[in-house]
Amino acid sequence: MISESVQVGGGSPLLLIAGPCVIESLDLILEVSSKVLEICQKLGIGYVFKASFDKANRSSGSTFRGPQLDKGLEALAMVKSKFGIPVLTDIHESWQAEAVAEVVDILQIPAFLCRQTDLLFAAAKTGRVVNVKKGQFLAPWDMENVAKKLATAGCDRILLTERGSSFGYNTLVVDFRSLPQMAATGWPIVFDATHSVQQPGGMGTTSGGQREYVPTLARAAVAVGIDALFMEVHPEPNKALSDGPNMVPLSELQSLLQELMALHHCRKSIESTEGS
């Protein structure tokens, strides 16, 4: 359970985790959260807003990182109070966990940091839901050890996210066998459809991406079976300050979600028939 009104896994409806990559401004995140919430309410989808207060792993040290901790948490608290929706953000260092947990509902561990034991322990001890993105360098079954670290530290609400694996230079590939393999851990599985089409460092000082393939990968993941879908969205991705090339234009989100929900209901119907 994420909150009293939003649940994930255990037969709950498909959950959407969505928002811009980074908090560019308060106006932006209020616009995105409002419009995505409206879409999700129309389609009967649970919604968690996401945005980072700091992008600590940017390709270049000169690119935009975000408003940092204090201002970022103020902005996320505004979204939460204004719209009554759960919020998610990344933490990069152990000392951030306690302060961030006072505001957000889900602490996210970035893929590059998924094996950092002290960071995992700090997140677990807050009592919040913890979403861990599978490292680009890990096999899906390696995430069982990650989950065990969290559980050992007292966390009983864990999400595991697939976001692609490194394939040569500046390229990611998704092995869809990873979804049932990670699901074997017993924890809800999230598919990150936008970072999976990222081209890390592919533009020199920034990452590239192929957003045209987001629908393809999202359809495949929903057909295989997932508990939640993670997507970064923006009103104008080409003007975004981070991860623009792999973000979904906000104007295209509703039609994409309608298609994905049709696939989700079809899968559930098949599962129900097979189980009867």
Side-chain angles (χ1 to χ4, degrees), residues 47-205:
Y47 177 45
V48 173
F49 175 79
K50 69 79 50 188
S52 298
F53 61 83
D54 179 22
K55 300 301 292 183
N57 57 353
R58 296 304 304 273
S59 299
S60 169
S62 62
T63 49
F64 180 75
R65 288 182 52 167
Q68 301 304 300
L69 184 66
D70 291 341
K71 291 184 178 180
L73 291 180
E74 288 179 8
L76 291 170
M78 180 70 73
V79 169
K80 186 174 179 177
S81 63
K82 187 175 180 64
F83 301 113
I85 53 177
V87 297
L88 171 154
T89 199
D90 307 272
I91 58 171
H92 297 86
E93 300 184 52
S94 302
W95 64 265
Q96 296 174 338
E98 186 174 356
V100 173
E102 292 180 3
V103 173
V104 310
D105 302 271
I106 304 177
L107 299 178
Q108 182 164 277
I109 308 299
F112 287 126
L113 301 175
C114 68
R115 291 180 58 176
Q116 295 295 103
T117 302
D118 290 344
L119 182 62
L120 292 169
F121 280 4
K125 291 175 182 177
T126 65
R128 293 297 192 183
V129 180
V130 179
N131 179 37
V132 188
K133 290 197 171 184
K134 178 177 74 65
Q136 300 92 326
F137 46 87
L138 287 187
W141 46 87
D142 291 332
M143 290 299 285
E144 183 172 3
N145 288 328
V146 174
K148 284 181 178 178
K149 287 183 182 181
L150 289 168
T152 298
C155 185
D156 60 0
R157 294 185 295 165
I158 300 169
L159 306 177
L160 302 179
T161 296
E162 170 61 75
R163 57 142 298 160
S165 299
S166 296
F167 185 76
Y169 297 123
N170 305 123
T171 304
L172 298 172
V173 66
V174 177
D175 178 358
F176 285 97
R177 294 174 299 179
S178 69
L179 300 176
Q181 287 167 343
M182 287 200 295
T185 63
W187 300 108
I189 301 304
V190 184
F191 180 65
D192 183 343
T194 47
H195 285 101
S196 291
V197 302
Q198 189 184 62
Q199 296 172 312
M203 299 177 70
T205 58

Side-chain angles (χ1 to χ4, degrees), residues 7 12-16 44-46 222 226-229 260-261 264:
Q7 300 189 17
S12 300
L14 190 68
L15 176 71
L16 177 67
I45 303 173
V222 171
I226 52 175
D227 299 290
L229 186 67
L260 296 176
M261 287 305 293
H264 177 67

Side-chain angles (χ1 to χ4, degrees), residues 15-62:
L15 176 71
L16 177 67
I17 302 171
C21 177
V22 66
I23 300 171
E24 298 178 18
S25 68
L26 178 59
D27 287 343
L28 173 72
I29 66 171
L30 290 176
E31 176 188 358
V32 172
S33 56
S34 174
K35 290 184 178 179
V36 177
L37 176 60
E38 181 180 354
I39 292 169
C40 287
Q41 288 175 333
K42 287 180 182 177
L43 301 180
I45 303 173
Y47 177 45
V48 173
F49 175 79
K50 69 79 50 188
S52 298
F53 61 83
D54 179 22
K55 300 301 292 183
N57 57 353
R58 296 304 304 273
S59 299
S60 169
S62 62

